Amino acid sequence: IAGVVATIAYDLSRWLLVTFGQLTYWPFKTFPIFGRSIAGEHLDLATAYAVGTAYHIVNGLLFSVAYCLIFGRRHWAFGIAWALVLEASVLWLYPGWLGIDDLMAEFTAVSIIGHICFGLGLGITSQLLLKEDRAHWAV
């Protein structure tokens, strides 16, 4: 649940920022790039979008599961810290891979704000949902 909330917060914040900020960088253009990287360059655009979108969603969910297992009961601010660690890897990897040097300022703003929203959604939701005592789980 926390992963769903976080991933929606991530994508919605990026869409709002790009749409209402009238930016030229479109973050969802990466979905077919992911799709073709995973399943092959031969994919038509619709299939590439579908595969890339599935990858994006699974990524958000699995990073959220990892967070919940490690930090889920901690203060919600840990969610932001977790997301900023993910953001650091995005800023290190994506610009060169995507060839977006001319859009770096917009890419960085959209990416950082998206990851902060992801972390907020993840941290708050997991803190609320995972607050029960774990003592009964001990073996």
Side-chain angles (χ1 to χ4, degrees):
I1 293 170
V4 171
V5 169
T7 304
I8 290 170
Y10 176 71
D11 285 333
L12 181 60
S13 68
R14 295 183 319 146
W15 180 81
L16 288 169
L17 181 60
V18 169
T19 301
F20 294 104
Q22 299 177 341
L23 302 179
T24 56
Y25 171 70
W26 185 249
F28 307 103
K29 192 175 182 179
T30 59
F31 291 2
I33 296 170
F34 293 151
R36 288 184 173 134
S37 294
I38 293 166
E41 292 297 321
H42 66 282
L43 290 183
D44 62 273
L45 186 60
T47 306
Y49 257 109
V51 171
T53 301
Y55 167 76
H56 169 73
I57 292 168
V58 168
N59 229 9
L61 296 177
L62 292 180
F63 278 123
S64 297
V65 167
Y67 171 83
C68 287
L69 291 172
I70 300 167
F71 301 113
R73 288 180 175 76
R74 296 197 180 255
H75 189 272
W76 59 264
F78 276 76
I80 296 173
W82 176 264
L84 290 176
V85 169
L86 299 176
E87 172 63 18
S89 65
V90 166
L91 290 176
W92 174 73
L93 176 66
Y94 283 21
W97 178 48
L98 298 173
I100 55 171
D101 293 334
D102 55 333
L103 295 170
M104 259 322 275
E106 288 186 13
F107 170 80
T108 302
V110 170
S111 189
I112 288 173
I113 290 169
H115 279 92
I116 289 171
C117 291
F118 178 89
L120 273 169
L122 179 60
I124 291 169
T125 306
S126 64
Q127 186 179 5
L128 290 172
L129 294 177
L130 298 174
K131 61 183 171 184
E132 75 271 359
D133 183 35
R134 272 202 297 187
H136 65 278
W137 296 355
V139 179

